[in-house]
Amino acid sequence: MTMIGWGQSLLTLTLVFACAFPLGRYVARVMSGDRSVLSPVLRPVEHGLYVLAGVNPTRGMGWRGYALALLMLNAAHFLLLYAMLRLQYWLPFNPQGFAGMSPRLALNTAMSFVTNTNWQAYAGESAASNGAQMFGLTVHNFLSAATGIAAAAAISRAFAAGNVQALGNFWADLVRATLYILLPLTLVVSVALLAMGVPETLAASAEATTLEGAKQVIALGPVAFQEAIKLLGTNGGGFFNANSAHPFENPTALSNLLENLSLLLIPFSLAIAFGHWVNDRKQGVALLCVMALLLLAFASAAYAAEAAGNPLLHALGVAGGNMEGKEVRFGIAASSLFAASTTATSTGAVIAMHDSLTPLGGLVCLFLMQLGEVVPGGDGSGLYGMLVFALLAVFVAGLMVGRTPEYLGKKVQAREVKLAMLAVLVLPLSILGGTAISLVTASGLGSLSNAGPHGLSQMLYAWTSATANNGSAFAGLSADTDLLDYGLALAMFLGRFAFLVPVLALAGSLAAKPKLPTGAGTFPTHGPLFVGLLIGVILILGGLQFLPALSLGPIAEHFAMLAGKTF
Amino acid sequence: MAQDAEAIRLFDGRILRRATADSFVKLNPVSLMRNPVIFVTEIVALLVAVLGARNLVSGEPAAFALAIAAGLWLTVLFATFAEAVAEGRGRARAESLRRARSDAMAKVLLRPDDRALFKPTPASTLERGELVLVEAGDLIPSDGEVVEGVASVNESAVTGESAPVIREAGGDRSAVTGGTLVVSDWLVVRITAEPGSTFLDRMIGLVEGASRRKTPNEIALDILLAGLTIIFLIAVVTLVGLARYSGTVLGVPVLCALLVTLIPTTIGGLLSAIGIAGMDRLVRFNVVATSGRAVEAAGDVDTLLLDKTGTITFGNRMAAGLYPVPGIEERSLAEAAVLASLGDGTPEGRSILAYVRDRHGIAPDEPDDARTVPFSANTRLSGLDAGGRAWRKGAVDSVLALTGGAAPAAFTAAADRIARSGGTPLAVAVDGQLFGAIELKDIVKPGIRERFAALRRMGIRTVMITGDNPVTAAAIASEAGVDDFLAQATPQDKLGYIRRVQAEGRLVAMCGDGTNDAPALAQADVGVAMQSGTQAAREAGNMVDLDSDPTKLIEVAEIGKQLLITRGSLTTFSIANDVSKYFAILPAIFVATYPELQALNVMHLTSPQSAILSAVIFNAFIIVALVPLALRGVRFAPMGAAQLLRRNLLIYGLGGLVAPFAGIKLIDVILTALGFA
Amino acid sequence: MSHLRPALVLVAAFTLLLGVMFPLGMVGLGSAAFPTQAGGSLVMRDGRVVGSALVGQSFTGEKYFHPRPSATTPDPYNADASGGSNLAATSKALVDRVQRDMAKAGPAPVPADVVTTSASGLDPHISPDNAERQVARVAAARGLSKAEVEGLVAAHTEGRLFGLIGEPRINVLLLNLALDAQPAR
């Protein structure tokens, strides 16, 4: 670890927080339909879309209506994407002449992009055409992120006022999140990336003759635009197989700074937006602090582990930290921060191969996803996941001040606890259940590329990543099998919608409650005490159940590595 | 009953013996299903016991499985024991109530207007609406309303207060309670309770915990605990697959041990005991709640409606100042005031004597030839004639009429000021000469201001209800330090006020006794009816104060809070405990596969077996160790939520993290010393 | 079913807007404003494309600086199929591979990037330490003085932006191009 390494990480995070405050305020405004600097340009487009779709943006929806609309959009968008992937051979912009994906792979991929997971059981440059990447994957990067932001706005509204039924209008939320938040940021970031060297062309590849006379086919494509939304939308599906480690996706250290900033930006801003939505900015800052502290702690742990390097290689005479699966231009500090950031958000883009991280580096990635993607989590999903934990924290500890627990003036009672627990249950059920089944079947074992505890970690990582809608992988795993294509598609579905629907029901239940005034007897939910409590609850309620699995995977591997064992 | 209450020690031998037996009865799985965490523990304990027994029969090594099974059964037993002890304490209290419930014959009147014609009927079969005659020496057979007659009734069976009270038809003293004794005269009572559901019956049921229903917070907590149990069930079941991949075969006893130590057995085992004990604490204050829900609501209350008289002030006007007219020494006025009051036996008159004695050290004897002039409503004066002199004291205009009407400006100003500040001015004259004014006012109880300040820190607003005019009310309100007041309050005003405050989302507690208080009592989230009040008031409220002391409202709120705090603290403690158990059990079960995992054995437990056993034993004994805390309740001091949270989080959160490390290590050391390791 | 129309209309409208209009607009903007970058930062020599300045390529000859090992298949530096080795830190395959490569790597301690594969398999850069160890070999093979080669290495060493962002690195293709451009002696 070096001072420069720490400096790089702190610079990135400082920039994120510096941008999160103004952006959060902006997000809160535009999601409420208020005017903003972009209104003159975007209002006509927005209204045009409402007219086309036959939507009255001011008509509020109850939680059921909101959930139904959300599911309907996602179903439509799933079917369209599935069709595109199957039919990509006949679609335009297929210079490579890629055949359609198999039904199994298309199902997995469509589910993956609809759920904001972007798990890729295929290699981007060798299985998806430019057309499919543009029409299908790019669009869904926008829509899945906008779906998350909409849901986060909906649950925030439940805290804002008392005795209301409506959570907002899903269609308006979706259109606003896309037009006012995602699109402008994507344009800015993609132009910057373009200037730094990220290609944007309809050509599929260029052919070069190397200095030593060999032929090198260099895959190209319309990368810049997709790269920007992939990060801003916390999607993470790479244009290329190597994802953001590919020099065309992420050519320089500066582009990497921008990309790391982009993937953290909206999730942190939503915490601030939450404070604005509930008219108590300190609440948003408290959530941001919880997210930031946990991210900082885990990123530091990853950095320490990667900088310490691999003692097995040290024994052979290799100097320095762990560079296997990392790029020279990024180095260890930036790679560690990105690894923590991408798993702490539900992005899943990588600039270093997570499979080749040190065991503890991999542990950080696994654990951050298993916490439910809340530090800061995906666009929207991070905020609503965090609110579920906040409700549980308030419930467990809130009794300790001698009142029926309440969060932001909303009482947390049996129904809320039931829905929160229902949502929280999805993670262990899908992650541990899927991993255990895969590890006792021949098909599952056949997918592993590593033996010993790391093999367990690979499988655990796949199910964790899918359930947490992250999409990064211990990529040595062969994921295009019946078991994993179908199984992980189910995990992605559960991780997204079996979490979201209870959360919306929770929002409906909270919205209908009166908003109680706060006083000296109210459980304080800002300030360091609550921040510490919430961190504790996230670690204990969110993380503890994974400890047995982790101790058989990365933890065992770590101690084995120290003891000089290989597998 | 108050005396009985104190006699029940935390662990009375008789209660403990009965509870030990009961804790086995409670093992019945059907009744345990109410408690998901302990139910799962019992199933698992049964499983391990059967496996151990099978091994024993087949000659395989069985000692470890049997030891684990013993630990798990202890966990279940300790949990049922905790509940049984709490119920036992309640039952002991209920015994004293039960003695009052008689199965004597009631005299049911066949015709309402004929007291001579009645039919003896067992009290337990009395129907609602029947009229019964109760004569001197009879126990009142059931709850009811006096429709005819006046009698003195000894209610000590219910209230512990032995001085008889008057019960009469009409008015606010018409309610009678079954089990109380008519001392003199007779009453005709209309029965208002269904058979078996009299006030006394309900009290017994509640105190024993027999008719206990889960409160809203308890239900929510149960859901959380059930959810956690499912989560850990998933973690443990899937571990079988993960361990198989790793080359470890995990025995069922080990898995069961892991499961039970992870699921929140501590709070699961103590939850119902905490609820019963909360009820019990109220009873110790001579307050009976009609449901656990009401006790919880008391903790949530953030607005207290307090009657001025008797709660905030003593209720009698008392001397509080002397204001001589110019030219008269204050001491002369004091002497005159005392002499003029010697013949005044009212509390006000006595307060003047006390005031002057305390302030001026004057306690003159009555002159030998004195003739007192008692207070009369006509003259509105009292006084003393002796040695040809006349001392007079009374209403200002009456005295001024005596002195010729012309009062100095200073006197008029003083009298006006006293009236404006909510007091009553009296004038004193000697031989027709005006000496000065005495200020009488309603004295705020000492310490009440500090009490309200403490409540404010807890986030509870106090509102004074008074029939006084707004000027007087404002003066007393500011002196007592209440947050708001309602002057010239009619029952409708009270009801309106409660509704208004509730619309802001606040929870309101009040107490009342009269029939006209009933709507407000019913509207309030916590309505404490006075035992001395009417049946209507008692039915409307959700608590009854047997001492009829309106100040109790404050204690009731504190007990409610303490109940919730105890529950929250032990939940936090229980969940925080899990961290250490991982460090005990995980290295122990995987060390065979990955010897390097020994590094996680931070407690340096002797062997895998002793580690697992120690965790199981700790898990069982922590329940028993916390029973006294669950029954007594977490120490409560009025302070703000932030402070409370900091304190409790430190004790129960951090303590919950750290304590088991020490406990498990200690048990491991003992097991090792005994040669079990 | 009142949700059906908005769902279909919005998916279609956004596909048109975000999947067609904006990406194509961006392609147009790229070719107009950043033609080199948009086209993949291709490097030309004598009118022929010799590679991309951003993408590494394989060098095995003595007279060239060598890049890091690459894990792409079937050949190293296959820019049509990026990817890393995905070998775990405790993988026997990794330890064996590194042990094999150490034989050719010279005296220990060896800088990590000499024997580790990159994430993309296309890493265009090596570390200054790595380059430093290759100077003598390249100079000998080309008949250049060590100082001349060191000078070229120094000229192609990119530092950290603002002394903070990124790591010191040398683009192997550009350095080798510069070497080839040296007048022969």
Side-chain angles (χ1 to χ4, degrees):
Chain A
M1 286 183 285
T2 60
M3 287 309 290
I4 295 221
W6 289 111
Q8 290 170 349
S9 304
L10 287 180
L11 173 71
T12 310
L13 294 178
T14 310
L15 285 176
V16 171
F17 301 138
C19 297
F21 281 83
L23 184 61
R25 196 169 54 229
Y26 171 81
V27 167
R29 284 185 61 83
V30 297
M31 291 303 286
S32 311
D34 294 347
R35 285 191 70 80
S36 67
V37 280
L38 294 176
S39 298
V41 186
L42 294 175
R43 269 278 156 93
V45 184
E46 185 190 346
H47 285 284
L49 286 172
Y50 293 150
V51 171
L52 268 180
V55 165
N56 173 5
T58 56
R59 224 196 78 208
M61 299 173 172
W63 81 264
R64 281 188 189 83
Y66 201 95
L68 202 64
L70 186 150
L71 292 175
M72 191 68 91
L73 176 95
N74 280 275
H77 126 192
F78 171 82
L79 290 175
L80 182 70
L81 184 55
Y82 178 80
M84 269 189 202
L85 294 172
R86 296 279 288 129
L87 302 174
Q88 67 172 345
Y89 184 79
W90 288 279
L91 288 175
F93 301 110
N94 185 7
Q96 304 99 318
F98 288 137
M101 286 186 182
S102 70
R104 184 180 84 192
L105 184 58
L107 174 94
N108 180 284
T109 307
M111 185 60 80
S112 163
F113 278 74
V114 166
T115 56
N116 197 261
T117 309
N118 302 30
W119 170 265
Q120 291 167 297
Y122 61 94
E125 61 267 56
S126 40
S129 73
N130 285 351
Q133 300 242 23
M134 274 171 20
F135 310 145
L137 307 186
T138 305
V139 175
H140 296 89
N141 281 349
F142 277 98
L143 293 187
S144 64
T147 298
I149 296 174
I155 188 172
S156 302
R157 290 183 192 120
F159 288 104
N163 308 312
V164 291
Q165 294 302 321
L167 299 176
N169 183 296
F170 174 71
W171 306 115
D173 285 346
L174 180 86
V175 167
R176 284 171 189 157
T178 310
L179 290 184
Y180 288 89
I181 302 170
L182 295 171
L183 185 58
L185 284 171
T186 303
L187 288 175
V188 171
V189 171
S190 55
V191 170
L193 289 176
L194 192 52
M196 288 187 240
V198 178
E200 180 78 14
T201 170
L202 293 177
S205 59
E207 212 175 281
T209 310
T210 69
L211 296 192
E212 292 190 331
K215 202 184 97 173
Q216 190 183 29
V217 176
I218 302 172
L220 288 168
V223 185
F225 191 68
Q226 189 183 334
E227 184 72 15
I229 184 60
K230 157 188 128 179
L231 298 161
L232 287 164
T234 62
N235 299 283
F239 195 95
F240 299 105
N241 186 41
N243 209 301
S244 290
H246 195 293
F248 277 160
E249 290 202 20
N250 196 358
T252 66
L254 189 62
S255 70
N256 184 57
L257 177 64
L258 178 65
E259 296 196 359
N260 205 334
L261 176 72
S262 299
L263 69 89
L264 291 172
L265 189 55
I266 294 180
F268 274 116
S269 308
L270 283 171
I272 297 301
F274 178 72
H276 287 277
W277 277 322
V278 300
N279 293 317
D280 186 352
R281 280 192 249 167
K282 278 187 274 180
Q283 304 291 345
V285 176
L287 295 187
L288 179 122
C289 286
V290 171
M291 295 169 167
L293 286 173
L294 280 170
L295 176 62
L296 202 62
F298 282 106
S300 305
Y303 181 33
E306 295 305 307
N310 183 344
L312 297 171
L313 300 192
H314 292 164
L316 300 174
V318 178
N322 176 27
M323 279 302 284
E324 180 72 15
K326 293 194 183 63
E327 304 280 303
V328 168
R329 63 190 180 285
F330 305 138
I332 289 175
S335 297
S336 307
L337 179 66
F338 200 102
S341 306
T342 196
T343 46
T345 62
S346 75
T347 309
V350 297
I351 65 165
M353 287 301 136
H354 288 191
D355 217 350
S356 299
L357 294 175
T358 58
L360 292 187
L363 172 70
V364 165
C365 295
L366 268 168
F367 198 60
L368 279 171
M369 291 187 282
Q370 287 164 347
L371 291 182
E373 298 283 31
V374 293
V375 294
D379 283 0
S381 62
L383 179 61
Y384 62 67
M386 179 57 89
L387 290 174
V388 168
F389 275 117
L391 286 174
L392 288 178
V394 163
F395 180 73
V396 170
L399 285 171
M400 280 199 293
V401 305
R403 289 263 291 260
T404 294
E406 59 196 65
Y407 185 53
L408 302 175
K410 299 284 186 163
K411 277 202 169 148
V412 186
Q413 287 163 312
R415 184 171 160 78
E416 287 73 41
V417 174
K418 191 192 298 173
L419 290 167
M421 286 313 282
L422 215 56
V424 167
L425 262 177
V426 170
L427 285 133
L429 186 68
S430 171
I431 293 176
L432 296 174
T435 307
I437 290 170
S438 305
L439 284 178
V440 295
T441 55
S443 160
L445 292 173
S447 291
L448 301 179
S449 71
N450 276 277
H454 194 77
L456 188 142
S457 304
Q458 276 188 319
M459 193 55 80
L460 182 63
Y461 199 105
W463 288 93
T464 302
S465 175
T467 308
N469 295 142
N470 183 276
S472 67
F474 275 6
L477 187 79
S478 313
D480 189 13
T481 66
D482 273 340
L483 174 72
L484 293 184
D485 270 341
Y486 292 127
L488 295 178
L490 180 66
M492 292 187 270
F493 177 81
L494 289 176
R496 181 74 164 182
F497 298 109
F499 195 94
L500 229 176
V501 172
V503 164
L504 285 175
L506 186 61
S509 161
L510 287 169
K513 287 174 186 262
K515 191 163 168 76
L516 309 178
T518 54
T522 316
F523 183 90
T525 54
H526 51 77
L529 201 61
F530 181 69
V531 169
L533 170 72
L534 186 48
I535 288 177
V537 166
I538 290 172
L539 291 178
I540 292 181
L541 283 190
L544 217 52
Q545 69 261 36
F546 297 104
L547 214 58
L550 292 172
S551 58
L552 283 175
I555 297 176
E557 190 192 359
H558 171 73
F559 288 113
M561 180 180 80
L562 294 185
K565 279 196 194 166
T566 58
F567 296 94
Chain B
M1 189 171 140
Q3 295 76 9
D4 281 351
E6 272 140 38
I8 300 172
R9 282 179 297 117
L10 198 51
F11 288 112
D12 179 274
R14 258 189 22 244
I15 294 178
L16 284 192
R17 276 191 297 279
R18 171 87 190 267
T20 310
D22 279 354
S23 53
F24 284 92
V25 176
K26 283 173 177 287
L27 291 180
N28 179 357
V30 178
S31 63
L32 260 192
M33 285 235 278
R34 267 167 60 96
N35 187 336
V37 182
I38 300 304
F39 180 68
V40 168
T41 309
E42 183 176 41
I43 302 274
V44 160
L46 192 65
L47 182 67
V48 179
V50 168
L51 284 177
R54 198 195 60 188
N55 286 2
L56 200 63
V57 171
S58 65
E60 289 167 68
F64 181 60
L66 289 175
I68 297 269
L72 299 183
W73 277 113
L74 272 185
T75 313
V76 182
L77 272 176
F78 287 164
T80 53
F81 176 74
E83 191 181 73
V85 171
E87 285 179 2
R89 283 153 54 82
R91 196 179 298 115
R93 247 183 263 290
E95 284 306 315
S96 59
L97 293 173
R98 213 184 297 271
R99 269 180 248 127
R101 192 169 59 182
S102 79
D103 262 334
M105 287 297 175
K107 301 165 182 165
V108 175
L109 294 184
L110 299 176
R111 281 207 305 272
D113 48 356
D114 186 356
R115 284 191 283 119
L117 193 63
F118 56 78
K119 185 180 81 176
T121 312
S124 56
T125 63
L126 282 177
E127 292 292 333
R128 196 178 179 138
E130 283 182 308
L131 291 177
V132 293
L133 172 70
V134 202
E135 291 167 305
D138 290 348
L139 280 175
I140 296 176
S142 183
D143 293 358
E145 189 94 35
V146 178
V147 292
E148 200 186 343
V150 183
S152 57
V153 178
N154 182 337
E155 297 194 334
S156 64
V158 177
T159 63
E161 173 63 56
S162 52
V165 292
I166 301 293
R167 294 292 171 208
E168 60 191 343
D172 287 350
R173 292 184 294 177
S174 62
V176 289
T177 308
T180 54
L181 183 70
V182 175
V183 188
S184 70
D185 306 297
W186 54 267
L187 296 170
V188 174
V189 173
R190 181 188 292 116
I191 302 301
T192 54
E194 299 291 348
S197 68
T198 65
F199 184 65
L200 211 55
D201 289 323
R202 276 184 291 157
M203 257 172 83
I204 292 169
L206 286 163
V207 169
E208 283 186 332
S211 57
R212 217 175 75 82
R213 296 238 310 273
K214 284 184 181 174
T215 62
N217 275 317
E218 247 181 310
I219 293 170
L221 199 51
D222 256 342
I223 292 171
L224 180 87
L225 299 182
L228 287 176
T229 305
I230 296 173
I231 286 178
F232 287 117
L233 207 55
I234 294 171
V236 169
V237 169
T238 55
L239 194 58
V240 177
L242 302 189
R244 212 176 90 181
Y245 165 85
S246 311
T248 314
V249 177
L250 292 175
V252 173
V254 171
L255 286 171
C256 291
L258 181 62
L259 176 67
V260 169
T261 50
L262 292 184
I263 61 177
T265 46
T266 313
I267 180 66
L270 294 173
L271 197 52
S272 57
I274 295 171
I276 298 169
M279 206 68 134
D280 190 58
R281 273 197 297 282
L282 262 189
V283 174
R284 220 172 330 156
F285 268 94
N286 266 1
V287 176
V288 177
T290 52
S291 70
R293 183 186 281 263
V295 186
E296 256 185 29
D300 281 348
V301 158
D302 53 11
T303 305
L304 291 187
L305 260 51
L306 300 167
D307 278 329
K308 184 198 79 174
T309 307
T311 310
I312 296 172
T313 65
F314 286 108
N316 301 317
R317 293 180 301 173
M318 295 206 226
L322 293 176
Y323 301 90
V325 296
I328 299 288
E329 296 276 318
E330 187 171 344
R331 195 174 170 79
S332 314
L333 172 60
E335 278 173 359
V338 170
L339 289 170
S341 304
L342 281 175
D344 184 358
T346 65
E348 295 170 9
R350 285 203 301 265
S351 84
I352 295 172
L353 298 185
Y355 179 82
V356 172
R357 188 174 58 241
D358 294 347
R359 286 297 177 85
H360 301 278
I362 301 171
D365 291 324
E366 202 172 314
D368 292 337
D369 58 345
R371 190 183 59 83
T372 55
V373 181
F375 179 83
S376 94
N378 281 334
T379 60
R380 297 196 295 149
L381 285 170
S382 67
L384 188 78
D385 292 333
R389 303 189 66 189
W391 292 269
R392 290 289 181 277
K393 168 214 84 185
V396 172
D397 47 355
S398 306
V399 174
L400 287 184
L402 211 66
T403 59
F411 175 86
T412 320
D416 279 356
R417 202 189 44 71
I418 291 167
R420 267 202 315 279
S421 70
T424 308
L426 294 183
V428 179
V430 180
D431 300 337
Q433 186 199 350
L434 186 65
F435 266 43
I438 304 174
E439 178 179 11
L440 284 184
K441 67 177 201 182
D442 209 352
I443 300 286
V444 170
K445 287 183 178 176
I448 201 87
R449 203 183 163 84
E450 291 70 27
R451 199 88 191 258
F452 290 157
L455 286 171
R456 200 168 302 116
R457 281 197 298 281
M458 287 160 60
I460 298 177
R461 292 169 71 243
T462 44
V463 179
M464 182 180 82
I465 306 288
T466 172
D468 292 346
N469 64 61
V471 175
T472 310
I476 294 174
S478 87
E479 192 181 341
V482 294
D483 297 286
D484 196 4
F485 64 88
L486 192 59
Q488 288 169 338
T490 63
Q492 285 71 29
D493 290 343
K494 277 198 215 182
L495 188 61
Y497 188 89
I498 293 174
R499 289 206 172 122
R500 203 160 59 243
V501 173
Q502 283 175 333
E504 294 168 20
R506 297 183 186 279
L507 264 70
V508 184
M510 69 164 287
C511 54
D513 52 6
T515 299
N516 53 15
D517 280 334
L521 278 172
Q523 179 71 31
D525 300 279
V526 174
V528 181
M530 300 296 117
Q531 166 65 14
S532 61
T534 59
Q535 188 65 23
R538 273 167 27 180
E539 291 295 332
N542 43 17
M543 289 190 194
V544 175
D545 177 12
L546 304 178
D547 296 339
S548 306
D549 170 9
T551 326
K552 286 266 193 69
L553 214 46
I554 299 170
E555 276 93 359
V556 167
E558 290 185 353
I559 288 171
K561 282 199 182 300
Q562 194 188 23
L563 169 72
L564 296 176
I565 292 173
T566 306
R567 214 179 267 156
S569 300
L570 291 180
T571 306
T572 307
F573 184 86
S574 184
I575 292 173
N577 264 214
D578 273 9
V579 177
S580 61
K581 293 172 190 163
Y582 274 111
F583 281 98
I585 295 190
L586 284 186
I589 58 181
F590 295 136
V591 81
T593 316
Y594 299 116
E596 302 84 11
L597 283 179
Q598 188 62 30
L600 290 183
N601 183 3
V602 291
M603 285 175 264
H604 299 287
L605 304 178
T606 313
S607 69
Q609 281 81 5
S610 77
I612 295 168
L613 216 49
S614 303
V616 170
I617 292 174
F618 175 83
N619 198 50
F621 276 89
I622 192 73
I623 296 179
V624 170
L626 290 175
V627 166
L629 185 65
L631 296 185
R632 215 176 41 229
V634 165
R635 200 169 61 82
F636 176 77
M639 51 173 101
Q643 258 176 302
L644 261 179
L645 179 64
R646 188 173 311 123
R647 196 190 74 174
N648 291 332
L649 211 50
L650 202 68
I651 300 176
Y652 299 98
L654 214 57
L657 278 180
V658 176
F661 279 99
I664 292 174
K665 176 69 186 169
L666 181 71
I667 295 171
D668 181 72
V669 168
I670 295 172
L671 286 181
T672 308
L674 295 175
F676 283 116
Chain C
M1 281 304 106
S2 63
H3 295 318
L4 194 60
R5 175 172 161 202
L8 294 178
V9 168
L10 288 179
V11 167
F14 279 129
T15 300
L16 202 66
L17 193 71
L18 305 169
V20 181
M21 281 169 56
F22 275 99
L24 292 184
M26 198 56 71
V27 169
L29 178 76
S31 64
F34 309 101
T36 316
Q37 292 96 318
S41 307
L42 300 180
V43 180
M44 315 284 282
R45 188 171 70 178
D46 309 330
R48 280 171 44 204
V49 176
V50 294
S52 164
L54 297 178
V55 176
Q57 57 181 246
S58 178
F59 289 98
T60 52
E62 292 289 290
K63 55 196 234 321
Y64 285 117
F65 279 87
H66 296 170
R68 305 174 62 186
S70 163
T72 60
T73 53
D75 309 307
Y77 288 93
N78 177 1
D80 203 19
S82 57
S85 71
N86 288 318
L87 292 176
T90 55
S91 155
K92 192 163 167 4
L94 173 71
V95 174
D96 289 349
R97 190 198 78 207
V98 171
Q99 197 160 24
R100 223 169 32 243
D101 291 353
M102 286 297 283
K104 308 174 282 188
V110 172
D113 67 314
V114 177
V115 291
T116 53
T117 62
S118 64
S120 60
L122 302 174
D123 195 344
H125 298 109
I126 55 176
S127 67
D129 282 352
N130 186 345
E132 178 61 35
R133 296 166 71 92
Q134 302 189 41
V135 166
R137 186 196 76 226
V138 172
R142 287 186 177 258
L144 293 170
S145 74
K146 268 183 74 175
E148 283 173 294
V149 178
E150 269 169 0
L152 276 178
V153 169
H156 281 84
T157 303
E158 298 168 66
R160 297 187 168 98
L161 189 62
F162 313 126
L164 182 63
I165 302 165
E167 298 296 324
R169 63 207 176 272
I170 291 143
N171 186 307
V172 180
L173 174 61
L174 298 184
L175 174 61
N176 285 339
L177 271 171
L179 274 173
D180 279 357
Q182 285 292 101
R185 261 197 287 182

